[in-house]
């Protein structure tokens, strides 16, 4: 009974994220610029961005689809004036991300209440944040896009709250370079290859988030979270389930810590280890994965060849294993 209540409670994470909120936390300093088809300061969002100064707020006054490719290089807040759908789609092919936040210097950007879709076939990325940018994405929906929903690169630091990433062909979120991402109270689902990919020295902290339904496509896997290179990932109070292959994949010299979370019903393993990663699991539930709860890529675990060179795995006594089809743990 306790197990069922825990799983059901975590499944509910994020399912009510997109109910109307009473107000948007737009910037309180600087000037406010308005954008709408008629009667506002500007008809196009990029025109408002170009005119604005650091600390200004851009309010979109009318719902609808805005066909633009935005470049933001200053500290701004962009949000709808009220809680209504504002959809950003690319202005044309081969232009680049729908939104690029480029921190050639230290800037702070808030994007709130927007739906960003990379619909054109050539649109590789919906949102890209790079350089020295610090960004808050709140109540954002990213996808569908042909390849990536969000890429965070270089030294960028991004906090994502109450948001959804779905329908992106490669990954919902990709973290590279030395970028840092905190993902809270959000949902990542039905992306083609990986829910979240963390490479190089990237860092990811996932809190109260649901990641599910990554599927095997013509080119790709079906992994909830993929940590490789020297990346660091912390997963807390979250649910990762029903992915085509792994719930969590840790490879090379990555470090993954899973705390008070559920890894369930993934199609190959709950947690799969390559190379020499460090994996720590505390106070979690590893449930109904097929075949293994936690496994290394070795012949003894049923995989072709040996791609595991002896990582570190720590599992505390409070972690529960339930109904993994071949067994709970398969390590050399």
């Amino acid at each position: 009974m306790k197990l069922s209540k825990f799983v059901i409670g975590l499944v509910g994470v994020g399912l009510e994220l997109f109910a109307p909120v009473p107000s948007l936390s737009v910037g309180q300093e600087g000037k406010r610029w308005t954008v709408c088809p008629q009667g506002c300061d500007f008809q196009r969002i990029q025109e408002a961005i170009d005119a604005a100064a650091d600390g200004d707020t851009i309010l979109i006054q009318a719902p609808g689809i805005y066909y633009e490719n935005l470049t933001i290089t200053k500290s701004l807040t962009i949000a709808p004036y009220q809680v209504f759908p504002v959809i950003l789609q690319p202005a044309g092919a081969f232009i680049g991300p729908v939104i690029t936040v480029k921190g050639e210097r230290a800037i702070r950007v808030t994007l709130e209440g927007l739906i960003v879709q990379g619909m054109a076939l050539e649109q590789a990325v919906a949102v890209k944040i790079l350089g020295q940018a610090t960004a808050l994405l709140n109540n954002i929906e990213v996808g569908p896009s042909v390849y990536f929903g969000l890429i965070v690169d270089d030294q960028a630091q991004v906090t994502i709250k109450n948001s959804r990433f779905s329908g992106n062909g490669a990954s919902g979120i990709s973290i590279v370079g030395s970028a840092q991402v905190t993902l809270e109270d959000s949902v990542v689902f039905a992306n083609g290859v990986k829910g979240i990919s963390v490479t190089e020295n990237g860092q990811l902290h996932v809190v109260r988030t649901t990641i599910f339904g990554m599927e095997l496509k013509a080119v790709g896997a079906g992994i909830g979270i993929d940590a490789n290179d020297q990346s660091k990932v912390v997963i807390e109070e979250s649910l990762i389930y029903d992915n085509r292959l792994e719930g969590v994949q840790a490879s090379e010299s990555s470090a993954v810590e899973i705390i008070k979370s559920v890894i369930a019903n993934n199609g190959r393993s709950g947690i799969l280890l390559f190379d020499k990663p460090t994996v720590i699991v505390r106070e979690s539930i590893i449930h109904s994965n097929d075949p293994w709860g936690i496994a290394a890529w070795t012949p003894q675990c049923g995989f072709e060849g040996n791609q595991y060179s002896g990582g570190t795995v720590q599992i505390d006594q409070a972690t529960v294993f339930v109904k993994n089809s071949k067994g709970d743990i398969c390590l050399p």
Side-chain angles (χ1 to χ4, degrees):
M1 182 61 69
K2 291 182 179 179
L3 175 63
S4 298
K5 287 182 178 179
F6 187 27
V7 173
I8 291 169
L10 281 174
V11 170
V13 171
L15 296 184
E16 297 180 358
L17 295 180
F18 304 100
V21 293
S23 62
L24 295 169
S25 56
V26 296
Q28 300 300 312
E29 299 180 358
K31 184 172 180 178
R32 294 191 175 195
W33 304 88
T34 59
V35 177
C36 64
Q38 290 185 335
C40 292
D41 297 320
F42 298 98
Q43 294 182 338
R44 298 180 60 80
I45 302 170
Q46 186 65 54
E47 292 174 349
I49 291 170
D50 295 341
D54 281 329
D56 286 356
T57 295
I58 296 170
L59 296 177
I60 303 169
Q61 298 277 79
I65 300 175
Y66 291 76
Y67 295 98
E68 299 197 48
N69 291 75
L70 306 179
T71 299
I72 303 168
T73 59
K74 58 189 78 171
S75 297
L76 296 173
T77 293
I78 302 177
Y81 177 68
Q82 296 178 350
V83 181
F84 47 57
V86 171
I87 302 170
L88 298 178
Q89 293 185 1
F94 303 108
I95 296 177
V98 182
I99 299 177
T100 301
V101 178
K102 190 174 182 180
E104 295 177 349
R105 56 187 176 89
I107 60 172
R108 293 183 176 272
V109 173
T110 297
L111 303 175
E112 189 159 5
L114 304 174
I115 300 169
V116 187
Q117 300 174 336
M119 299 295 289
L121 180 60
E122 301 85 359
Q123 205 73 33
V125 186
V127 181
K128 188 170 185 178
I129 302 173
L130 67 160
Q132 302 178 56
T134 298
L136 169 63
L137 310 184
N138 186 34
N139 198 32
I140 294 289
E141 183 175 338
V142 179
S145 262
V146 175
Y147 296 110
F148 299 97
L150 168 66
I151 292 179
V152 185
D153 200 353
D154 298 329
Q155 303 171 51
Q157 299 183 35
V158 177
T159 299
I160 305 166
K161 298 182 178 181
N162 308 308
S163 293
R164 179 168 68 182
F165 297 80
S166 66
N168 301 289
S171 297
I173 302 171
S174 179
I175 304 164
V176 295
S178 298
Q180 300 179 27
V181 172
T182 299
L183 179 65
E184 299 179 3
D185 301 305
S186 295
V187 178
V188 181
F189 72 100
N191 298 285
V193 180
K194 301 172 184 177
I196 305 174
S197 172
V198 193
T199 62
E200 299 180 29
N201 293 298
Q203 297 185 36
L204 169 67
H205 189 186
V206 178
V207 185
R208 297 181 302 275
T209 288
T210 303
I211 300 170
F212 70 99
M214 286 357 113
E215 298 180 357
L216 184 66
K217 300 293 184 181
V219 287
I223 300 168
I225 295 178
D226 182 20
N228 53 62
D229 295 327
Q230 299 182 58
S231 61
K232 296 181 180 180
V233 175
V234 178
I235 303 164
E236 291 189 74
E237 298 180 19
S238 295
L239 171 60
I240 302 175
Y241 78 103
D242 202 24
N243 297 290
R244 175 63 177 79
L245 296 182
E246 277 70 55
V248 177
Q249 181 169 288
S251 62
E252 298 183 64
S253 297
S254 62
V256 177
E257 186 170 6
I258 300 168
I259 306 164
K260 294 182 179 179
S261 295
V262 175
I263 313 295
N265 200 39
N266 297 287
R268 187 163 62 185
S269 295
I271 303 168
L272 184 62
L273 286 66
F274 292 81
D275 306 312
K276 200 171 182 178
T278 297
V279 175
I280 300 171
V281 185
R282 297 193 284 121
E283 300 180 76
S284 295
I285 299 171
I286 314 296
H287 189 330
S288 301
N289 299 285
D290 184 10
W292 303 104
I294 300 174
W297 189 288
T298 64
Q300 86 178 57
C301 299
F303 298 100
E304 184 176 348
N306 187 350
Q307 298 186 41
Y308 180 69
S309 53
T312 299
V313 180
Q314 300 177 14
I315 305 166
D316 74 353
Q317 294 183 347
T319 292
V320 177
F321 291 86
V322 182
K323 295 183 179 179
N324 298 291
S325 66
K326 281 193 177 179
D328 297 331
I329 301 172
C330 183
L331 298 172

Coordinates of all heavy atoms in Angstrom, one line a residue, residues 53 67 93 98 101 145 148 156-158 172-173 198 220 291 300 309:
A53 N 16.0 48.0 -23.2 CA 17.2 48.1 -22.5 C 17.3 47.0 -21.4 O 16.3 46.4 -21.1 CB 17.4 49.5 -21.8
Y67 N 5.2 34.3 -35.8 CA 6.2 33.6 -36.6 C 7.5 34.5 -36.6 O 7.7 35.5 -37.3 CB 5.7 33.5 -38.1 CG 4.5 32.6 -38.2 CD1 3.2 33.2 -38.2 CD2 4.6 31.2 -38.2 CE1 2.1 32.3 -38.3 CE2 3.5 30.4 -38.3 CZ 2.3 31.0 -38.4 OH 1.2 30.1 -38.5
A93 N 12.6 28.7 -43.1 CA 13.5 27.6 -43.1 C 15.0 28.1 -42.9 O 15.3 29.2 -43.4 CB 13.4 26.7 -44.3
V98 N 14.2 29.0 -32.8 CA 13.0 30.0 -32.6 C 13.4 31.0 -31.6 O 13.1 32.2 -31.8 CB 11.8 29.2 -32.2 CG1 10.6 30.2 -32.1 CG2 11.4 28.1 -33.2
V101 N 19.1 32.7 -26.8 CA 19.5 33.6 -25.7 C 21.0 33.5 -25.7 O 21.6 32.4 -25.4 CB 18.9 33.2 -24.4 CG1 19.5 34.1 -23.3 CG2 17.4 33.3 -24.4
S145 N 9.4 19.8 -32.0 CA 10.5 20.2 -32.9 C 11.1 19.0 -33.6 O 11.0 17.9 -33.0 CB 11.6 20.9 -32.1 OG 11.5 22.3 -32.1
F148 N 15.8 19.0 -31.4 CA 16.0 19.4 -30.0 C 14.9 20.4 -29.6 O 14.7 21.4 -30.2 CB 17.4 19.9 -29.8 CG 18.5 18.9 -30.1 CD1 19.1 19.0 -31.4 CD2 18.8 17.9 -29.3 CE1 20.1 18.1 -31.7 CE2 19.8 17.0 -29.6 CZ 20.5 17.1 -30.8
A156 N 26.2 28.7 -19.7 CA 24.8 29.1 -19.3 C 24.3 28.4 -18.1 O 24.6 27.2 -17.9 CB 23.9 28.9 -20.5
Q157 N 23.5 29.1 -17.3 CA 22.8 28.5 -16.2 C 21.3 28.8 -16.3 O 20.9 29.9 -16.4 CB 23.3 29.2 -14.9 CG 24.8 29.0 -14.6 CD 25.3 29.5 -13.3 OE1 24.6 29.5 -12.3 NE2 26.5 30.0 -13.3
V158 N 20.5 27.7 -16.3 CA 19.1 27.8 -16.6 C 18.3 27.1 -15.5 O 18.6 25.9 -15.1 CB 18.8 27.1 -18.0 CG1 17.3 27.2 -18.2 CG2 19.6 27.8 -19.1
G172 N 14.4 16.2 -25.6 CA 13.6 17.3 -25.0 C 14.6 18.4 -24.6 O 14.4 19.6 -24.9
I173 N 15.6 18.0 -23.8 CA 16.6 18.9 -23.3 C 18.0 18.3 -23.5 O 18.3 17.2 -23.2 CB 16.4 19.2 -21.8 CG1 15.0 19.8 -21.5 CG2 17.5 20.2 -21.3 CD1 14.7 19.8 -20.1
V198 N 22.9 14.8 -21.1 CA 23.9 15.6 -20.4 C 25.3 15.1 -20.8 O 25.6 14.0 -20.6 CB 23.7 15.5 -18.9 CG1 24.5 16.6 -18.2 CG2 22.2 15.6 -18.5
G220 N 18.1 6.3 -33.0 CA 18.1 6.7 -31.6 C 17.7 5.6 -30.7 O 17.6 4.5 -31.0
P291 N 15.0 -6.1 -18.6 CA 15.0 -7.2 -17.6 C 15.5 -6.8 -16.2 O 15.1 -7.4 -15.2 CB 16.0 -8.2 -18.2 CG 17.0 -7.3 -18.9 CD 16.2 -6.1 -19.5
Q300 N 27.4 -11.2 -18.9 CA 26.7 -11.9 -17.8 C 25.3 -11.3 -17.6 O 24.4 -11.9 -17.1 CB 27.5 -11.8 -16.5 CG 27.3 -10.6 -15.7 CD 28.1 -10.7 -14.4 OE1 29.3 -10.8 -14.4 NE2 27.5 -10.5 -13.3
S309 N 33.7 -1.0 -17.3 CA 35.1 -1.2 -16.8 C 35.2 -1.0 -15.3 O 36.2 -0.6 -14.8 CB 36.0 -0.2 -17.6 OG 35.6 1.1 -17.5

